[in-house]
Amino acid sequence: MVIEQYEEGAGIYEIQWLNVRKFLMDFDIKGNVDGNKPNEIVLGGTKGLDDWGYDEILPLSKRKLQHEILLFSQTKILIHCSDIKIRKIKT
């Protein structure tokens, strides 16, 4: 996954999860509907997942990590893997 740091000029990074054993994404489509028309997707569904808000990496065991990512849309991404590699690809 390629992500851009929110501060201007902070750079673009590539993040790679190795040996993923679990991937969960809790996305609520209601973020793309209007309260007055709950059966219609608004803006062509372009509101999407939103920006990365917060993340936390925790050890699950000696060989597993858990990466929990919370997006501003209240979407939660949970990844269990053996290692995480992050590298800067552009300034």
Side-chain angles (χ1 to χ4, degrees), residues 29-30 32-42:
I29 191 67
K30 292 177 189 166
N32 282 303
V33 298
D34 183 342
N36 296 324
K37 298 178 183 179
N39 295 323
E40 292 181 32
I41 303 272
V42 295

Side-chain angles (χ1 to χ4, degrees), residues 1 17 20-28 49 60 65-71 74-81:
M1 173 187 288
W17 298 271
V20 173
R21 295 290 181 211
K22 184 177 194 175
F23 178 88
L24 292 171
M25 186 170 74
D26 179 18
F27 175 65
D28 187 358
L49 295 174
L60 286 175
L65 298 171
Q66 173 177 292
H67 193 183
E68 184 174 341
I69 304 163
L70 301 175
L71 307 180
Q74 302 302 310
T75 297
K76 182 191 293 185
I77 300 170
L78 186 69
I79 302 167
H80 291 182
C81 60

